[in-house]
Amino acid sequence: MAAATVQKGEGSNDDGDVRYSRPSKSHLEPLIFPPKRQHTHTFILLHGRGGAGNSFGPEFLAAEASCGKPLQELLPGMKFVFPTAKKRRMARSNRCTINQWFDIVSLDDTCFRNELQLEGLRESSTFIHKIIQDEMELIPCGNIIIGGLSQGCATALYALLTFQPPTPRNMEESSSLGAMVGMSGWLPFCKAIIEVADNLSLPVGQADIFASDNVAGSESNPRKEEIRALNFLRDNIDLPPLAICCPAALKTPVFLGHGTADEKVSIDHGKDAAAALEKLGMDVTWVAYQDFYHWYKEPDEIDDIVAFLRKKMGFESNQV
């Protein structure tokens, strides 16, 4: 495995080095594994609650596919970026402080007191959006992948659904991220997303503040219901509503893997996330791993992730 480097220098170079801006001093510099060949793609991966990028990164990249090769060998043009969540005080467990992307009271009911999740989702989404924007200075937006494990998956999904890159000149639509890869996770505000998309959360006679004007919907364009759901998520973290009919997030393919015996995050949460994303019209690949626990399964899930990226993003790997 190539040695990991924490990039601290200004600017960028041909190896894909870049200094990442941080919204606060509480965020550590991401751990970066440079590509083994010319930099063509970037994979931003978020650790789970209580973890850290400098421990999750090396462990994840040591996982091997069924051919016996790790991801760095299978995807030699890929730069891997492992950010670390800031320390946050927990609402439970005697209010101790741990690394977490956002606070959450219950993993049994991820919607319980979800107002406590907003501060963390706001700060973490801003942090991840900036990393994506910095990578877009080096490679096309469509060559950037975001993903995560457990709470990292939840945060990556939220960051994906609230990210809207600028529209390039002479183009009608913004480019979307290349893919999203989630492992053993869930989707924050999942039930509310479905309710807002179905217009079930509005009292009779109340104005629809999450709708966008002049969005009729078609086979290629999302309906007002999908726009409404995304604007709900954006409003949660103080982002302005989308004023376009083709949000980039809805064009990003999503892989979600989950063990059927997950003792920490029920597989039902993963299924609900997949169903909500499909309701928004997104391309979702759902894989359940029989009798597997709360983690990524080797080699099966590594094989599935590589196959998903090859199919959805169209690049070759060194897979045997």
PDB file of all heavy atoms in Angstrom, residues 68-86:
ATOM      1  N   GLY A  68      -7.749 -10.851  -4.462  1.00  0.00           N
ATOM      2  CA  GLY A  68      -6.607 -10.705  -3.591  1.00  0.00           C
ATOM      3  C   GLY A  68      -5.952  -9.337  -3.637  1.00  0.00           C
ATOM      4  O   GLY A  68      -4.924  -9.130  -2.994  1.00  0.00           O
ATOM      5  N   LYS A  69      -6.549  -8.390  -4.363  1.00  0.00           N
ATOM      6  CA  LYS A  69      -5.979  -7.054  -4.489  1.00  0.00           C
ATOM      7  C   LYS A  69      -6.810  -6.034  -3.705  1.00  0.00           C
ATOM      8  O   LYS A  69      -8.035  -6.114  -3.693  1.00  0.00           O
ATOM      9  CB  LYS A  69      -5.914  -6.625  -5.955  1.00  0.00           C
ATOM     10  CG  LYS A  69      -4.964  -7.443  -6.814  1.00  0.00           C
ATOM     11  CD  LYS A  69      -4.928  -6.918  -8.232  1.00  0.00           C
ATOM     12  CE  LYS A  69      -3.953  -7.703  -9.097  1.00  0.00           C
ATOM     13  NZ  LYS A  69      -3.923  -7.174 -10.504  1.00  0.00           N
ATOM     14  N   PRO A  70      -6.155  -5.048  -3.083  1.00  0.00           N
ATOM     15  CA  PRO A  70      -6.885  -3.970  -2.406  1.00  0.00           C
ATOM     16  C   PRO A  70      -7.338  -2.914  -3.411  1.00  0.00           C
ATOM     17  O   PRO A  70      -6.943  -2.931  -4.584  1.00  0.00           O
ATOM     18  CB  PRO A  70      -5.851  -3.407  -1.435  1.00  0.00           C
ATOM     19  CG  PRO A  70      -4.539  -3.643  -2.130  1.00  0.00           C
ATOM     20  CD  PRO A  70      -4.706  -4.956  -2.864  1.00  0.00           C
ATOM     21  N   LEU A  71      -8.156  -1.990  -2.947  1.00  0.00           N
ATOM     22  CA  LEU A  71      -8.733  -0.987  -3.838  1.00  0.00           C
ATOM     23  C   LEU A  71      -7.686  -0.126  -4.530  1.00  0.00           C
ATOM     24  O   LEU A  71      -7.867   0.270  -5.692  1.00  0.00           O
ATOM     25  CB  LEU A  71      -9.701  -0.094  -3.058  1.00  0.00           C
ATOM     26  CG  LEU A  71     -11.076  -0.677  -2.757  1.00  0.00           C
ATOM     27  CD1 LEU A  71     -11.868   0.264  -1.868  1.00  0.00           C
ATOM     28  CD2 LEU A  71     -11.840  -0.936  -4.053  1.00  0.00           C
ATOM     29  N   GLN A  72      -6.604   0.195  -3.840  1.00  0.00           N
ATOM     30  CA  GLN A  72      -5.588   1.042  -4.472  1.00  0.00           C
ATOM     31  C   GLN A  72      -4.968   0.380  -5.694  1.00  0.00           C
ATOM     32  O   GLN A  72      -4.582   1.067  -6.644  1.00  0.00           O
ATOM     33  CB  GLN A  72      -4.498   1.405  -3.467  1.00  0.00           C
ATOM     34  CG  GLN A  72      -4.889   2.557  -2.544  1.00  0.00           C
ATOM     35  CD  GLN A  72      -3.701   3.032  -1.736  1.00  0.00           C
ATOM     36  OE1 GLN A  72      -3.155   2.260  -0.946  1.00  0.00           O
ATOM     37  NE2 GLN A  72      -3.302   4.268  -1.930  1.00  0.00           N
ATOM     38  N   GLU A  73      -4.864  -0.931  -5.668  1.00  0.00           N
ATOM     39  CA  GLU A  73      -4.322  -1.633  -6.836  1.00  0.00           C
ATOM     40  C   GLU A  73      -5.393  -1.800  -7.906  1.00  0.00           C
ATOM     41  O   GLU A  73      -5.088  -1.762  -9.102  1.00  0.00           O
ATOM     42  CB  GLU A  73      -3.771  -2.997  -6.420  1.00  0.00           C
ATOM     43  CG  GLU A  73      -2.507  -2.917  -5.570  1.00  0.00           C
ATOM     44  CD  GLU A  73      -1.885  -4.282  -5.342  1.00  0.00           C
ATOM     45  OE1 GLU A  73      -2.075  -5.171  -6.182  1.00  0.00           O
ATOM     46  OE2 GLU A  73      -1.222  -4.458  -4.297  1.00  0.00           O
ATOM     47  N   LEU A  74      -6.637  -1.984  -7.491  1.00  0.00           N
ATOM     48  CA  LEU A  74      -7.722  -2.147  -8.459  1.00  0.00           C
ATOM     49  C   LEU A  74      -8.073  -0.835  -9.147  1.00  0.00           C
ATOM     50  O   LEU A  74      -8.519  -0.826 -10.293  1.00  0.00           O
ATOM     51  CB  LEU A  74      -8.964  -2.708  -7.756  1.00  0.00           C
ATOM     52  CG  LEU A  74      -8.823  -4.105  -7.161  1.00  0.00           C
ATOM     53  CD1 LEU A  74     -10.071  -4.463  -6.368  1.00  0.00           C
ATOM     54  CD2 LEU A  74      -8.582  -5.136  -8.257  1.00  0.00           C
ATOM     55  N   LEU A  75      -7.863   0.279  -8.424  1.00  0.00           N
ATOM     56  CA  LEU A  75      -8.219   1.600  -8.945  1.00  0.00           C
ATOM     57  C   LEU A  75      -6.990   2.505  -8.836  1.00  0.00           C
ATOM     58  O   LEU A  75      -6.960   3.434  -8.010  1.00  0.00           O
ATOM     59  CB  LEU A  75      -9.398   2.178  -8.151  1.00  0.00           C
ATOM     60  CG  LEU A  75     -10.628   1.269  -8.018  1.00  0.00           C
ATOM     61  CD1 LEU A  75     -11.627   1.869  -7.029  1.00  0.00           C
ATOM     62  CD2 LEU A  75     -11.290   1.056  -9.385  1.00  0.00           C
ATOM     63  N   PRO A  76      -5.969   2.286  -9.662  1.00  0.00           N
ATOM     64  CA  PRO A  76      -4.682   2.983  -9.475  1.00  0.00           C
ATOM     65  C   PRO A  76      -4.727   4.480  -9.742  1.00  0.00           C
ATOM     66  O   PRO A  76      -3.859   5.212  -9.271  1.00  0.00           O
ATOM     67  CB  PRO A  76      -3.757   2.265 -10.463  1.00  0.00           C
ATOM     68  CG  PRO A  76      -4.676   1.698 -11.510  1.00  0.00           C
ATOM     69  CD  PRO A  76      -5.919   1.309 -10.770  1.00  0.00           C
ATOM     70  N   GLY A  77      -5.725   4.974 -10.483  1.00  0.00           N
ATOM     71  CA  GLY A  77      -5.836   6.402 -10.731  1.00  0.00           C
ATOM     72  C   GLY A  77      -6.651   7.137  -9.686  1.00  0.00           C
ATOM     73  O   GLY A  77      -6.884   8.350  -9.797  1.00  0.00           O
ATOM     74  N   MET A  78      -7.059   6.434  -8.639  1.00  0.00           N
ATOM     75  CA  MET A  78      -7.938   6.986  -7.617  1.00  0.00           C
ATOM     76  C   MET A  78      -7.139   7.582  -6.455  1.00  0.00           C
ATOM     77  O   MET A  78      -6.256   6.939  -5.905  1.00  0.00           O
ATOM     78  CB  MET A  78      -8.863   5.899  -7.079  1.00  0.00           C
ATOM     79  CG  MET A  78      -9.956   6.389  -6.142  1.00  0.00           C
ATOM     80  SD  MET A  78     -11.349   7.086  -7.036  1.00  0.00           S
ATOM     81  CE  MET A  78     -12.115   5.575  -7.680  1.00  0.00           C
ATOM     82  N   LYS A  79      -7.470   8.814  -6.102  1.00  0.00           N
ATOM     83  CA  LYS A  79      -6.982   9.399  -4.858  1.00  0.00           C
ATOM     84  C   LYS A  79      -8.040   9.159  -3.789  1.00  0.00           C
ATOM     85  O   LYS A  79      -9.228   9.389  -4.024  1.00  0.00           O
ATOM     86  CB  LYS A  79      -6.720  10.900  -5.011  1.00  0.00           C
ATOM     87  CG  LYS A  79      -6.309  11.571  -3.700  1.00  0.00           C
ATOM     88  CD  LYS A  79      -5.797  12.990  -3.891  1.00  0.00           C
ATOM     89  CE  LYS A  79      -6.886  13.962  -4.174  1.00  0.00           C
ATOM     90  NZ  LYS A  79      -6.393  15.363  -4.167  1.00  0.00           N
ATOM     91  N   PHE A  80      -7.629   8.709  -2.615  1.00  0.00           N
ATOM     92  CA  PHE A  80      -8.555   8.441  -1.518  1.00  0.00           C
ATOM     93  C   PHE A  80      -8.389   9.511  -0.441  1.00  0.00           C
ATOM     94  O   PHE A  80      -7.272   9.769   0.022  1.00  0.00           O
ATOM     95  CB  PHE A  80      -8.309   7.055  -0.933  1.00  0.00           C
ATOM     96  CG  PHE A  80      -8.677   5.931  -1.854  1.00  0.00           C
ATOM     97  CD1 PHE A  80      -7.755   5.434  -2.772  1.00  0.00           C
ATOM     98  CD2 PHE A  80      -9.951   5.373  -1.825  1.00  0.00           C
ATOM     99  CE1 PHE A  80      -8.097   4.398  -3.634  1.00  0.00           C
ATOM    100  CE2 PHE A  80     -10.298   4.336  -2.681  1.00  0.00           C
ATOM    101  CZ  PHE A  80      -9.377   3.848  -3.591  1.00  0.00           C
ATOM    102  N   VAL A  81      -9.502  10.113  -0.066  1.00  0.00           N
ATOM    103  CA  VAL A  81      -9.511  11.186   0.930  1.00  0.00           C
ATOM    104  C   VAL A  81     -10.365  10.752   2.116  1.00  0.00           C
ATOM    105  O   VAL A  81     -11.532  10.390   1.944  1.00  0.00           O
ATOM    106  CB  VAL A  81     -10.067  12.498   0.329  1.00  0.00           C
ATOM    107  CG1 VAL A  81     -10.087  13.605   1.380  1.00  0.00           C
ATOM    108  CG2 VAL A  81      -9.247  12.927  -0.894  1.00  0.00           C
ATOM    109  N   PHE A  82      -9.770  10.778   3.309  1.00  0.00           N
ATOM    110  CA  PHE A  82     -10.473  10.349   4.524  1.00  0.00           C
ATOM    111  C   PHE A  82     -10.527  11.507   5.522  1.00  0.00           C
ATOM    112  O   PHE A  82      -9.605  11.692   6.317  1.00  0.00           O
ATOM    113  CB  PHE A  82      -9.769   9.143   5.146  1.00  0.00           C
ATOM    114  CG  PHE A  82      -9.790   7.903   4.283  1.00  0.00           C
ATOM    115  CD1 PHE A  82      -8.746   7.624   3.416  1.00  0.00           C
ATOM    116  CD2 PHE A  82     -10.866   7.032   4.334  1.00  0.00           C
ATOM    117  CE1 PHE A  82      -8.764   6.483   2.617  1.00  0.00           C
ATOM    118  CE2 PHE A  82     -10.898   5.888   3.538  1.00  0.00           C
ATOM    119  CZ  PHE A  82      -9.852   5.618   2.675  1.00  0.00           C
ATOM    120  N   PRO A  83     -11.612  12.294   5.514  1.00  0.00           N
ATOM    121  CA  PRO A  83     -11.755  13.373   6.489  1.00  0.00           C
ATOM    122  C   PRO A  83     -12.053  12.813   7.876  1.00  0.00           C
ATOM    123  O   PRO A  83     -12.432  11.650   8.031  1.00  0.00           O
ATOM    124  CB  PRO A  83     -12.958  14.178   5.962  1.00  0.00           C
ATOM    125  CG  PRO A  83     -13.225  13.647   4.583  1.00  0.00           C
ATOM    126  CD  PRO A  83     -12.720  12.245   4.569  1.00  0.00           C
ATOM    127  N   THR A  84     -11.892  13.654   8.883  1.00  0.00           N
ATOM    128  CA  THR A  84     -12.234  13.298  10.258  1.00  0.00           C
ATOM    129  C   THR A  84     -13.285  14.264  10.794  1.00  0.00           C
ATOM    130  O   THR A  84     -13.153  15.481  10.634  1.00  0.00           O
ATOM    131  CB  THR A  84     -10.987  13.338  11.164  1.00  0.00           C
ATOM    132  OG1 THR A  84     -10.084  12.303  10.760  1.00  0.00           O
ATOM    133  CG2 THR A  84     -11.358  13.115  12.630  1.00  0.00           C
ATOM    134  N   ALA A  85     -14.314  13.716  11.414  1.00  0.00           N
ATOM    135  CA  ALA A  85     -15.355  14.554  12.007  1.00  0.00           C
ATOM    136  C   ALA A  85     -14.808  15.312  13.206  1.00  0.00           C
ATOM    137  O   ALA A  85     -13.882  14.852  13.879  1.00  0.00           O
ATOM    138  CB  ALA A  85     -16.539  13.683  12.443  1.00  0.00           C
ATOM    139  N   LYS A  86     -15.379  16.491  13.488  1.00  0.00           N
ATOM    140  CA  LYS A  86     -14.967  17.242  14.665  1.00  0.00           C
ATOM    141  C   LYS A  86     -15.554  16.585  15.911  1.00  0.00           C
ATOM    142  O   LYS A  86     -16.508  15.802  15.831  1.00  0.00           O
ATOM    143  CB  LYS A  86     -15.427  18.697  14.560  1.00  0.00           C
ATOM    144  CG  LYS A  86     -16.932  18.869  14.575  1.00  0.00           C
ATOM    145  CD  LYS A  86     -17.316  20.346  14.451  1.00  0.00           C
ATOM    146  CE  LYS A  86     -16.966  21.120  15.698  1.00  0.00           C
ATOM    147  NZ  LYS A  86     -17.479  22.508  15.657  1.00  0.00           N
TER     148      LYS A  86
END
